[in-house]
Amino acid sequence: MNILNRLMPSFRKEEDRPCDPPICEESVIRDIAAVGVGLLWATDETHHLNYLSQRALGNLPNEGAGLLGQSLLAIFAEESEGLAPAEKKRSLRFRVTSHLKIEDMTVRVEPNCPDGGASSDRVRWWRISGYPFFDNEGEFTGYRGTFVDVSEQYDLQQRAVHDADSDELTDLSNRRRISRRLGDLMPTLDNGIGACALLTLDLDRFKQINDTLGHAAGDQLLRQVATRLKSIAGPGFEVGRIGGDEFQIIVPGIDDRGELSALASRIVHMVSQPYLIAERRCIIGTSVGIAIAPYDGLDQEALAQASDLALYSAKTAGKGTYRFYTAELSENASRSSQLELGLQEAIDNGDFTLEYQPLISPLDDCLRGVEALMRWNHPQWGPVSPETFIAIAEQSDLILRLGEWCLHQACNDAANWPSDAYVAVNVSPRQFLDANFVNIVKSALERSGISPKRLELEFTESVFVGNLSELEDTFADLKSLGVKLVMDDFGTGYASLGYLKKAPFDKIKIDRSFVRGCTHSDDPNAAIIAAIVALADALRVHTVAEGVEALDELNFLKDRGIDLIQGWIYSRALSQDAFIAQISDGSLKFPPQGPARSRADRKSVYRNVRLIHQNHIYDAILRNISRSGARIEGLSEIPVGSDLVMDLGGGQLVVCSIANSDATGQGLAFEAPLIDDGNGELITRHRVSPFELVKAGLPIAPLGSGFSPR
């Protein structure tokens, strides 16, 4: 028999084959479930799981004990972070509650469900599909579907995504991830509901750590900063490093500037705590800029730019603080760039001058010395604040030239004063860290001919960064010259109390922020001042209180044993000629002059504001403002007790009432107190959204400056 004959039986005609019994559909489904080709599930009409195939149960830890009877939406959770409205319509909850088809949707099995999240070491991920079923009357009867366990594939995918979206050094989100998250969140605000804050921060004096201790130490510091920032972040926050020493934090759902102020304060405080780097104790600081969508920007790019401008404002204010974005910052940024161009020319032309504010003993009201304060009268903008031009100068080597000029000029002027009056000169951290600084001080003393004991150098606590042994050497060299050292703005910067023991300071200056409110019974500043005085006594150093303006403050500080007083209660800063004229009689007396009582929480202003009463809008003059109220002029026709809304500009509306009225003006009481913006200015916690203004007929745009009292 040939090969063809052997194969013939297999080629029999179809009609010659015996008939197989018909296949049962239920047996097919049962066989499929048994061999694991599909893992089957079903729910009842209330979306509770009422069936899992045997192979599906075997796929779960503890064979899915207790899983049956659980709600489908309680068992499964989507990764729905930052979903836009259109995406939410494709979500599992939307499809289940709308009885729509579920197709290849990856879900997380919730750990608190009995299926194995709690009894398994890792989260499980399923890809599920399902179809809704209805009875003859069209009533929904439940879902029937399949799932595949994709946990391993999902974990691999997520690790790849994490690596692509994470900063390699700190394991925080990288710029790409931050940008994408912000891009996802911004469209969700287009209905006028919700908010998103963006905090941008960078590290003060980080470059010095890198330069003095090396890049490896700098990397170690960045990792420690990242750990601290993650510990501060709340649920839903996104913390990222976007390059170098710059970080960003996305805070969704919060527009309360009181909450954001508290968060920024915690960041500044925590980042400023000491670090142990390369077996050395180091201190840095941070500055924070805050912008809030949709008020400060309607898209991702605008919000990031607003946050950057706020950060720049914080850094120019002296660093170690935070600032909110305001519309004025855009105008100020343009002005600052022009000032920077003019600063070099002003130094070359000798346009800077010095004024001197007396430091007086409260025991006899007699002069002991003066503090030299730089002044710049710009030909276009007039007097420029020292905080502004010094901050600009510190961004370059111009601060070294400016500081050297100040030292020489102050010593030369002091040569014309009584021989027992000293001059105090502020020294920037960049000056102090310059290798030639000690020689510059020595040169200023030699050229002027004044005694070294008549020169005091004032340092802020921000000098305590980097290599502390080098700082101690510089302090020792200065002391060997015979000059005196003063810690300025004590309690507001980075230094710990331990540095007072290492640095040979002769005086501690109590910052004006602690003087404000010290006479009020409920203000903690009184206790802070008492503690500083006790510390100074223990260290045998003198104390100076600055910013004293009222007689009750003066008496309080005198009773607490403060050695010297500086402030308007005795004198404003004087030019060299005015100062010499003041002391020409030889008495050196400066009698105190000022209000009897301080009003620490009230700020004098002179601005236009608008007030809304019923259906009328009134223009008025704002004369002063506090957290709880204000004084205005121009509203005498409205009776006491009337409710008003005051427009402070920038979307800041304050509900208030007229508390009192007389011929000079009206006193307003606020329904909700204002808060501090980090710069000593008062702002509302909340603002009117640009979308609300659209409803009132105005064009959509970020909030402008308006009639802000700042």
Side-chain angles (χ1 to χ4, degrees):
M1 183 181 294
N2 60 29
I3 188 70
L4 183 61
N5 291 331
R6 291 184 179 183
L7 293 176
M8 282 297 293
S10 62
F11 288 93
R12 287 181 299 178
K13 295 181 180 180
E14 188 68 30
E15 57 268 20
D16 296 330
R17 294 181 181 178
C19 293
D20 295 327
I23 297 176
C24 174
E25 185 174 344
E26 290 185 4
S27 68
V28 172
I29 295 175
R30 187 169 51 251
D31 291 343
I32 290 174
V35 298
V37 174
L39 305 178
L40 310 180
W41 59 272
T43 73
D44 60 20
E45 69 278 5
T46 64
H47 309 129
H48 286 76
L49 198 67
N50 61 4
Y51 172 78
L52 277 173
S53 60
Q54 192 61 42
R55 189 61 179 257
L57 290 171
N59 179 265
L60 300 170
N62 298 330
E63 295 191 345
L67 193 63
L68 294 176
Q70 296 287 326
S71 168
L72 193 67
L73 295 176
I75 296 171
F76 300 137
E78 274 187 287
E79 290 295 274
S80 57
E81 174 189 283
L83 287 180
E87 294 172 316
K88 290 180 180 178
K89 292 183 179 180
R90 297 191 294 269
S91 69
L92 178 65
R93 176 172 294 277
F94 179 84
R95 304 197 75 79
V96 168
T97 55
S98 301
H99 301 153
L100 300 176
K101 180 175 68 173
I102 304 169
E103 192 169 15
D104 287 337
M105 184 171 286
T106 300
V107 295
R108 182 180 71 250
V109 181
E110 284 291 354
N112 59 348
C113 289
D115 85 276
S119 59
S120 175
D121 290 335
R122 64 182 178 88
V123 175
R124 304 184 74 85
W125 295 90
W126 294 353
R127 188 169 65 243
I128 65 172
S129 295
Y131 288 82
F133 280 77
F134 303 87
D135 60 20
N136 293 333
E137 284 74 33
E139 295 294 326
F140 175 72
T141 59
Y143 273 98
R144 307 291 184 269
T146 65
F147 78 86
V148 177
D149 191 323
V150 294
S151 299
E152 290 187 9
Q153 301 96 304
Y154 187 88
D155 288 344
L156 288 173
Q157 179 186 3
Q158 289 302 103
R159 278 196 292 272
V161 171
H162 176 271
D163 292 342
D165 285 350
S166 298
D167 175 58
E168 184 177 357
L169 177 65
T170 63
D171 201 39
L172 297 177
S173 298
N174 59 17
R175 182 186 291 272
R176 170 185 167 181
R177 165 66 181 172
I178 288 288
S179 179
R180 187 173 69 250
R181 175 78 190 282
L182 203 57
D184 290 342
L185 286 171
M186 294 299 287
T188 68
L189 310 178
D190 61 5
N191 59 358
I193 301 175
C196 174
L198 178 64
L199 281 64
T200 302
L201 53 144
D202 68 6
L203 305 182
D204 302 333
R205 310 298 173 190
F206 172 74
K207 183 178 183 298
Q208 185 186 338
I209 300 294
N210 255 351
D211 292 346
T212 58
L213 300 182
H215 290 286
D219 289 348
Q220 185 180 350
L221 176 60
L222 290 173
R223 285 191 288 268
Q224 291 189 31
V225 169
T227 300
R228 295 186 186 188
L229 291 178
K230 284 191 287 189
S231 71
I232 295 174
F237 290 17
E238 188 86 39
V239 183
R241 175 177 174 241
I242 59 176
D245 63 337
E246 191 170 357
F247 299 81
Q248 283 187 335
I249 303 176
I250 298 174
V251 184
I254 297 180
D255 66 350
D256 185 329
R257 293 190 286 186
E259 288 188 44
L260 294 171
S261 293
L263 172 62
S265 294
R266 290 199 302 273
I267 291 172
V268 170
H269 175 74
M270 183 168 285
V271 172
S272 301
Q273 297 305 302
Y275 298 82
L276 186 63
I277 305 294
E279 299 183 352
R280 294 181 180 178
R281 188 177 171 88
C282 302
I283 294 181
I284 59 168
T286 189
S287 303
V288 183
I290 310 169
I292 311 169
Y295 313 96
D296 303 324
L298 298 174
D299 57 49
Q300 175 182 348
E301 185 176 334
L303 187 66
Q305 183 178 14
S307 185
D308 281 339
L309 283 171
L311 172 61
Y312 178 78
S313 175
K315 293 177 73 67
T316 56
K319 305 180 181 179
T321 187
Y322 63 89
R323 291 290 182 271
F324 286 96
Y325 172 80
T326 64
E328 291 91 339
L329 292 182
S330 297
E331 302 168 7
N332 293 342
S334 175
R335 180 187 176 195
S336 294
S337 63
Q338 296 180 57
L339 286 175
E340 186 173 0
L341 293 175
L343 194 59
Q344 174 78 54
E345 184 179 355
I347 296 175
D348 292 338
N349 295 340
D351 293 341
F352 288 91
T353 59
L354 290 182
E355 290 185 350
Y356 300 98
Q357 186 168 33
L359 290 100
I360 308 297
S361 168
L363 298 179
D364 57 10
D365 298 331
C366 282
L367 177 78
R368 295 294 186 270
V370 296
E371 179 182 357
L373 302 171
M374 276 189 281
R375 300 290 185 253
W376 180 24
N377 193 23
H378 191 277
Q380 180 179 351
W381 290 295
V384 181
S385 166
E387 288 81 4
T388 298
F389 68 75
I390 289 175
I392 294 173
E394 283 184 332
Q395 303 303 314
S396 66
D397 289 339
L398 290 176
I399 191 63
L400 302 179
R401 291 187 58 197
L402 202 54
E404 183 174 357
W405 168 83
C406 182
L407 264 171
H408 280 278
Q409 187 64 48
C411 290
N412 290 338
D413 286 347
N416 299 306
W417 306 339
S419 60
D420 54 351
Y422 66 82
V423 61
V425 178
N426 290 284
V427 178
S428 78
R430 189 157 183 171
Q431 279 179 273
F432 180 77
L433 298 170
D434 182 62
N436 199 37
F437 177 64
V438 175
N439 290 331
I440 291 173
V441 174
K442 183 178 181 181
S443 173
L445 291 170
E446 291 175 347
R447 291 187 181 185
S448 65
I450 69 169
S451 169
K453 68 179 182 181
R454 294 183 60 202
L455 176 62
E456 294 189 352
L457 302 176
E458 295 191 1
F459 308 89
T460 62
E461 299 175 36
S462 55
V463 300
F464 291 99
V465 293
N467 191 332
L468 295 179
S469 62
E470 292 182 5
L471 299 180
E472 293 172 11
D473 291 343
T474 303
F475 280 128
D477 291 341
L478 291 172
K479 289 298 288 185
S480 68
L481 294 179
V483 302
K484 294 183 178 180
L485 307 179
V486 181
M487 177 176 279
D488 196 8
D489 300 337
F490 179 71
T492 63
Y494 313 127
S496 69
L497 296 180
Y499 293 114
L500 291 178
K501 296 172 61 178
K502 295 183 178 181
F505 287 110
D506 300 281
K507 291 179 183 174
I508 294 174
K509 292 190 76 171
I510 300 172
D511 186 70
R512 67 182 66 240
S513 62
F514 297 125
V515 173
R516 290 289 168 268
C518 67
T519 59
H520 299 177
S521 59
D522 59 344
D523 196 296
N525 283 347
I528 294 174
I529 290 175
I532 294 175
V533 172
L535 175 66
D537 289 343
L539 296 174
R540 293 186 176 89
V541 298
H542 294 289
T543 51
V544 182
E546 58 183 353
V548 183
E549 297 181 0
L551 290 171
D552 63 336
E553 293 174 342
L554 174 62
N555 293 330
F556 173 88
L557 296 167
K558 180 179 178 179
D559 292 342
R560 297 307 183 279
I562 297 293
D563 297 303
L564 294 171
I565 299 294
Q566 180 180 356
W568 289 2
I569 190 66
Y570 281 117
S571 175
R572 296 173 182 255
L574 303 169
S575 67
Q576 168 76 343
D577 292 341
F579 175 62
I580 291 177
Q582 179 77 21
I583 61 175
S584 60
D585 61 359
S587 68
L588 304 184
K589 281 280 188 177
F590 282 78
Q593 297 180 6
R597 300 189 62 81
S598 63
R599 300 186 69 176
D601 64 342
R602 192 164 294 270
K603 176 181 176 62
S604 295
V605 292
Y606 190 84
R607 293 291 182 94
N608 293 323
V609 292
R610 288 177 177 171
L611 294 113
I612 304 168
H613 175 58
Q614 297 177 354
N615 294 325
H616 302 284
I617 297 177
Y618 299 88
D619 290 327
I621 303 296
L622 180 65
R623 297 308 304 265
N624 61 52
I625 190 168
S626 69
R627 293 178 183 271
S628 58
R631 185 76 176 172
I632 61 170
E633 294 177 359
L635 219 60
S636 58
E637 63 270 27
I638 300 180
V640 172
S642 298
D643 293 328
L644 307 168
V645 174
M646 182 163 61
D647 182 4
L648 293 180
Q652 301 182 100
L653 300 182
V654 183
V655 178
C656 53
S657 61
I658 299 180
N660 56 73
S661 180
D662 56 35
T664 62
Q666 295 74 42
L668 304 182
F670 297 159
E671 182 178 87
L674 303 182
I675 62 169
D676 192 291
D677 73 340
N679 190 30
E681 307 294 345
L682 297 173
I683 58 175
T684 59
R685 279 183 172 270
H686 302 280
R687 290 175 286 175
V688 177
S689 165
F691 299 104
E692 293 296 323
L693 298 178
V694 170
K695 295 177 183 177
L698 298 177
I700 182 66
L703 298 177
S705 55
F707 290 85
S708 171
R710 289 189 297 273

